[in-house]
Amino acid sequence: MQYFTDIGLEVHVELSTRTKMFCGCLVVDPTVAQPNTAVCPVCLGMPGTLPVVNKQAVAFAIKAGLALHCQIAERSIFARKNYFYPDLPKGFQISQYELPVAFEGSIGITTSQGKKNIRIRRAHLEEDTGKLEHCNQQGETYSLVDLNRAGIPLLEIVTEPDMHTIEEVRAYSQELRLLLRYLEVTSGDMEKGAMRFEANVSMRPNDNEALGTRVEIKNLNSIHSMEKAIAYELERQQKILEEGGAILQETLGWSETRSETFSQRSKEEAHDYRYFPEPDLPPLIVEKTWIETIASEIPELPEQKRVRYKAEMSLPAEKIESLIQDKSVSSYFEETVKRSGEITANTVANWIVGDLFGWMNESGCSIQDIKVSPAELVSLIQFHEQRVINKNSAKEVLHEMLQTGKPARQIIQDKGLKQVSSTDELEKTITQILQKFPEEVSSYHAGKETIFNWLFGQVMQATRGKGDPQIVKVILKKMLS
Ligand code: ADP
Ligand code: MG
Ligand code: ZN
């Protein structure tokens, strides 16, 4: 029996607003802030306090919704989702339930099987919970609670069960993250929990129309963990189905250390949460003109960039992908191309993807910290293209530019790196080398052609790497014959 897989994802995205969803507390970096320092009576759930909606969070949700080709609800409703947990001081979470702010969208993905669309069912606003830290000190176990995160705005983006392979899950998650980072609505920083995933996974016999019973795997903190969890789950489900068993609908956790899913609870139903409209907030009314303003602020998105780079610059797909993965890198690239004159976009791309990325990896710099402006990079590339310096020198100069921020011209001058392309000078050097190695010259003449490269190397060394390799080759050949 062959089985078919269906996967739907729920992605929680922390919106990068300055303040929380329903109060004025700052959103703080969890790796820096002391626990429970960014809290107030509202996000601590004190009696008598009232929530106020963060307009910026709504704007971000609309922006994301539009970029995901969703319809935007001109009227949506906040609801109370009731449950008790120590990280939820109010005893309920304010979320959107029946009427989300965005719905019925889609996003295009590319896998080894080609392009396809994943449908977005809904995207709704809600508030984050606090964070528990479970401790064990010499057998004494206890939990600490940090409420800095409680009340941070989240956008929950839910797909239809349109993914059928782990590769599609990866492509969707990466494309979604890229899109949201282009929109600057989230940092997308998974190490800091700014994007968290829940995967709904089911299997059915190939000839079955109806979806199989699903499990929901919660609290996946990275795309990589999610892939491992789904792979584990598919194997487990297939085995059960093959043995004639039935899949239990339940909520699973994922243990990173044991690399397995484990049952957390049987599936809760909507009625378990006793949803009802949040009595302390009016319906969220979004005016058409506001939606239009936000739409006009959407920048060029990754997919548009891919198409344009291909059409305007005929760059290979792989290079385009490297350049667009970071919006700032792509801006830097475009700025450089704008100034590059005769130099092709492909040449510029090679310098950025090769040497600049190499430096960024090595130094831990991001493109914003780089000391070489697009104009200076162009000037370096020009020195090389006009054969003032050879490739090795150019790499050396760029390295120094990146370290010191000095202009290319100055470094070339200071280091005396100007390429020797004067025929007279090179002829002199080559004559000396040929005189120095008479045996090698004879064996070249006797037919051992590989010796040519060796002689070439000797000449380049004698010029201390500054000989113009192409001219050296021509003269050497001429003088040998
Ligand atoms: P809930 O809010 O209770 O988790 P939803 O019905 O809203 O449930 O679905 C949540 C996610 O589960 C969606 O992404 C949806 O596509 C996915 N899903 C629903 N049924 C299945 C199924 N049988 N197999 C895989 N995914 C599913
Ligand atoms: Mg769910
Ligand atoms: Zn607060």
Side-chain angles (χ1 to χ4, degrees):
M1 178 88 78
Q2 294 284 10
Y3 291 95
F4 192 74
T5 302
D6 299 287
I7 304 167
L9 297 187
E10 297 162 76
V11 183
H12 289 88
V13 178
E14 252 181 40
L15 298 174
S16 47
T17 50
R18 199 176 60 84
T19 55
K20 290 186 180 181
M21 185 68 218
F22 299 114
C23 63
C25 287
L26 292 179
V27 172
V28 292
D29 183 335
T31 60
V32 176
Q34 289 296 312
N36 300 307
T37 52
V39 292
C40 74
V42 175
C43 56
L44 289 175
M46 298 293 177
T49 57
L50 290 172
V52 177
V53 172
N54 181 334
K55 189 173 178 186
Q56 182 65 67
V58 178
F60 281 165
I62 293 172
K63 202 171 206 181
L66 289 170
L68 289 166
H69 308 110
C70 286
Q71 309 207 41
I72 304 300
E74 283 171 43
R75 180 175 178 277
S76 62
I77 302 283
F78 286 104
R80 277 191 190 184
K81 181 180 184 179
N82 297 277
Y83 64 99
F84 174 77
Y85 206 64
D87 62 7
L88 190 70
K90 291 199 294 279
F92 61 84
Q93 179 190 31
I94 304 180
S95 180
Q96 294 191 305
Y97 179 54
E98 271 163 295
L99 290 173
V101 64
F103 55 98
E104 289 173 10
S106 74
I107 183 171
I109 63 164
T110 304
T111 66
S112 58
Q113 307 304 305
K115 287 183 186 295
K116 76 177 262 188
N117 279 329
I118 305 295
R119 287 172 299 159
I120 305 293
R121 181 180 288 182
R122 55 189 278 149
H124 66 253
L125 279 163
E126 58 184 36
E127 56 180 334
D128 210 344
T129 59
K131 216 174 167 166
L132 293 177
E133 189 183 323
H134 303 290
C135 310
N136 183 340
Q137 249 180 14
Q138 290 146 0
E140 193 201 344
T141 60
Y142 57 92
S143 297
L144 298 173
V145 59
D146 175 10
L147 294 172
N148 283 349
R149 199 179 70 180
I152 291 181
L154 293 179
L155 185 66
E156 177 171 343
I157 301 168
V158 183
T159 73
E160 295 295 336
D162 284 350
M163 284 159 274
H164 307 296
T165 63
I166 290 175
E167 192 192 0
E168 287 181 355
V169 168
R170 181 187 316 135
Y172 166 77
S173 313
Q174 288 175 342
E175 191 65 17
L176 180 67
R177 177 167 182 267
L178 185 64
L179 181 75
L180 297 173
R181 294 187 70 201
Y182 262 66
L183 296 170
E184 294 177 27
V185 300
T186 183
S187 70
D189 199 341
M190 288 182 276
E191 263 111 74
K192 293 183 182 171
M195 256 182 118
R196 309 193 292 270
F197 304 87
E198 288 170 23
N200 295 269
V201 182
S202 67
M203 288 182 117
R204 54 181 150 132
N206 252 355
D207 50 7
N208 243 8
E209 280 284 315
L211 294 177
T213 303
R214 71 170 149 142
V215 299
E216 178 170 351
I217 316 169
K218 286 245 185 230
N219 297 326
L220 300 164
N221 293 324
S222 72
I223 297 174
H224 187 62
S225 296
M226 173 161 61
E227 287 176 27
K228 283 197 292 185
I230 295 174
Y232 177 89
E233 194 51 31
L234 291 179
E235 205 170 301
R236 185 186 75 87
Q237 290 190 14
Q238 175 149 1
K239 192 151 166 275
I240 293 174
L241 293 172
E242 276 168 353
E243 286 167 357
I247 305 298
L248 206 61
Q249 181 169 344
E250 59 185 340
T251 301
L252 304 176
W254 168 248
S255 163
E256 200 66 60
T257 43
R258 284 178 286 133
S259 277
E260 61 185 38
T261 59
F262 59 90
S263 181
Q264 279 190 328
R265 51 179 183 265
S266 62
K267 173 71 191 166
E268 65 283 289
E269 300 291 340
H271 62 246
D272 293 327
Y273 291 123
R274 292 170 296 125
Y275 280 101
F276 60 86
E278 169 59 58
D280 290 340
L281 286 170
L284 179 64
I285 307 295
V286 172
E287 278 167 19
K288 261 212 174 80
T289 51
W290 193 31
I291 301 177
E292 283 159 13
T293 308
I294 294 170
S296 72
E297 288 162 1
I298 292 180
E300 185 180 38
L301 296 175
E303 187 54 20
Q304 295 163 312
K305 268 199 204 295
R306 287 187 187 104
V307 172
R308 185 165 66 81
Y309 283 12
K310 185 154 189 270
E312 286 177 5
M313 312 183 218
S314 347
L315 294 181
E318 214 174 293
K319 217 170 278 170
I320 294 178
E321 220 41 56
S322 311
L323 290 167
I324 67 156
Q325 280 306 308
D326 181 330
K327 190 164 73 164
S328 311
V329 168
S330 74
S331 310
Y332 184 97
F333 167 67
E334 289 175 29
E335 283 300 311
T336 313
V337 169
K338 231 185 259 168
R339 297 172 161 76
S340 67
E342 298 288 288
I343 303 164
T344 66
N346 195 44
T347 303
V348 172
N350 284 340
W351 280 99
I352 291 179
V353 173
D355 294 82
L356 235 50
F357 280 11
W359 165 259
M360 283 157 68
N361 271 339
E362 193 182 305
S363 65
C365 274
S366 71
I367 197 89
Q368 287 100 325
D369 313 326
I370 265 183
K371 291 185 177 144
V372 177
S373 66
E376 266 307 312
L377 181 62
V378 169
S379 116
L380 168 81
I381 301 174
Q382 269 164 350
F383 280 124
H384 173 242
E385 294 285 301
Q386 293 160 1
R387 324 229 338 227
V388 176
I389 50 174
N390 65 28
K391 185 80 185 213
N392 279 337
S393 302
K395 281 174 182 284
E396 193 185 323
V397 173
L398 179 57
H399 207 260
E400 179 137 353
M401 291 165 75
L402 288 163
Q403 262 170 339
T404 64
K406 282 191 202 157
R409 179 179 300 279
Q410 191 189 333
I411 296 169
I412 294 168
Q413 222 160 43
D414 290 354
K415 295 196 143 190
L417 286 173
K418 235 186 202 158
Q419 190 156 242
V420 182
S421 13
S422 122
T423 319
D424 285 355
E425 210 171 314
L426 288 174
E427 271 178 359
K428 229 183 277 168
T429 312
I430 292 171
T431 311
Q432 281 164 5
I433 293 293
L434 297 185
Q435 277 166 359
K436 195 170 161 192
F437 300 109
E439 274 171 42
E440 282 77 3
V441 172
S442 325
S443 69
Y444 173 79
H445 285 130
K448 199 175 168 201
E449 287 191 11
T450 48
I451 212 87
F452 181 85
N453 282 334
W454 185 84
L455 284 166
F456 170 73
Q458 295 302 314
V459 178
M460 288 303 287
Q461 223 169 48
T463 67
R464 281 178 297 133
K466 290 185 290 180
D468 181 326
Q470 260 144 323
I471 301 182
V472 170
K473 267 185 197 158
V474 173
I475 304 178
L476 183 59
K477 209 149 241 165
K478 201 174 72 193
M479 291 180 69
L480 276 169
S481 57

